[in-house]
Amino acid sequence: KAGVTQTPRYLIKTRGQQVTLSCSPISGHRSVSWYQQTPGQGLQFLFEYFSETQRNKGNFPGRFSGRQFSNSRSEMNVSTLELGDSALYLCASSKAGPLYNEQFFGPGTRLTVL
Amino acid sequence: DQQVKQNSPSLSVQEGRISILNCDYTNSMFDYFLWYKKYPAEGPTFLISISSIKDKNEDGRFTVFLNKSAKHLSLHIVPSQPGDSAVYFCAASADFRGGADGLTFGKGTHLIIQP
């Protein structure tokens, strides 16, 4: 069974640009959660999608948005990039909601903002 | 304000000995706790969890202890093996089914197992 995949793995952008990251969950998983990992703040919850609907949202500005498609694949978008957005962005999938002991993480997308 | 704290950024333990990783939390609404292990260039992997109705959960070499009154949990690894070298994250939630705030993570402890 293929794991959670994230593309691209590495990305370099400049301030003011926007970026779209993609996450393909494990087949059969309908819940996708996104997290941001930085050295200073650790892992922080961004949002969770289930059946194409955003169910939960963390404490991030509106520049961070996401969506989920009918095949459960999810994208997150960050507009007007800032230097502080440089981070590892992780997505995690689970079958029917973020049952945390059944949640599987992807390898992450490393975003660098210059 | 950090609700989940791992005060030791790194820990070095000799192979074969016990590794003890600590985690403190401040939110009394948390009732489900997890430990994740993360290798470089990989996403976190679920290791073990504990519900607040328990004070101990064991899975092979890994045991998690929860002290609700002290708002403290710890992960014990016995015996420690070289493959255990990784970053360990403590995480908490107000609902094991998925709280509105997702999982709240600590900043991680880098465990290094010395041969």
Side-chain angles (χ1 to χ4, degrees):
Chain A
K1 200 176 196 180
V4 178
T5 57
Q6 292 186 245
T7 57
R9 291 293 310 276
Y10 302 91
L11 205 48
I12 300 175
K13 291 284 188 178
T14 55
R15 279 184 300 173
Q17 287 187 308
Q18 67 93 27
V19 67
T20 299
L21 312 181
S22 179
C23 172
S24 292
I26 290 171
S27 178
H29 285 194
R30 295 167 63 191
S31 169
V32 174
S33 298
W34 287 89
Y35 293 85
Q36 181 196 63
Q37 183 185 4
T38 59
Q41 298 298 322
L43 269 158
Q44 292 184 289
F45 173 71
L46 279 156
F47 28 65
E48 184 238 344
Y49 285 86
F50 181 78
S51 292
E52 302 178 64
T53 301
Q54 186 183 86
R55 260 198 324 198
N56 297 309
K57 190 176 191 304
N59 189 25
F60 276 81
R63 299 186 297 107
F64 291 82
S65 63
R67 59 177 175 168
Q68 187 180 33
F69 301 95
S70 58
N71 62 358
S72 294
R73 190 177 69 85
S74 177
E75 288 182 346
M76 69 162 280
N77 184 277
V78 188
S79 62
T80 320
L81 283 165
E82 300 177 0
L83 294 178
D85 297 333
S86 293
L88 179 68
Y89 290 88
L90 292 158
C91 83
S93 76
S94 62
K95 283 184 184 177
L99 298 172
Y100 297 123
N101 61 342
E102 297 176 358
Q103 192 176 62
F104 296 85
F105 280 83
T109 294
R110 172 73 62 185
L111 171 65
T112 302
V113 181
L114 302 176
Chain B
D1 176 37
Q2 264 214 298
Q3 297 186 66
V4 177
K5 297 178 185 177
Q6 293 177 257
N7 292 320
S8 300
S10 67
L11 176 67
S12 184
V13 174
Q14 202 167 5
E15 182 180 355
R17 307 294 288 267
I18 182 170
S19 294
I20 300 176
L21 295 95
N22 294 303
C23 178
D24 297 293
Y25 62 98
T26 58
N27 188 341
S28 57
M29 297 300 291
F30 288 149
D31 63 1
Y32 191 65
F33 305 89
L34 307 92
W35 285 94
Y36 284 83
K37 177 179 177 180
K38 186 180 185 300
Y39 293 119
E42 294 182 12
T45 303
F46 168 74
L47 200 55
I48 192 169
S49 64
I50 188 167
S51 163
S52 60
I53 61 173
K54 294 185 173 183
D55 55 17
K56 176 182 174 182
N57 189 24
E58 192 171 352
D59 184 3
R61 296 185 299 113
F62 302 91
T63 303
V64 56
F65 295 91
L66 175 63
N67 182 334
K68 281 188 66 179
S69 60
K71 294 192 176 66
H72 176 84
L73 63 155
S74 61
L75 174 68
H76 293 211
I77 306 173
V78 184
S80 300
Q81 299 174 353
D84 296 331
S85 294
V87 177
Y88 289 78
F89 290 97
C90 169
S93 173
D95 184 347
F96 81 98
R97 294 164 299 179
D101 297 323
L103 278 175
T104 302
F105 282 85
K107 293 187 179 182
T109 296
H110 185 192
L111 176 64
I112 302 162
I113 305 302
Q114 306 277 10

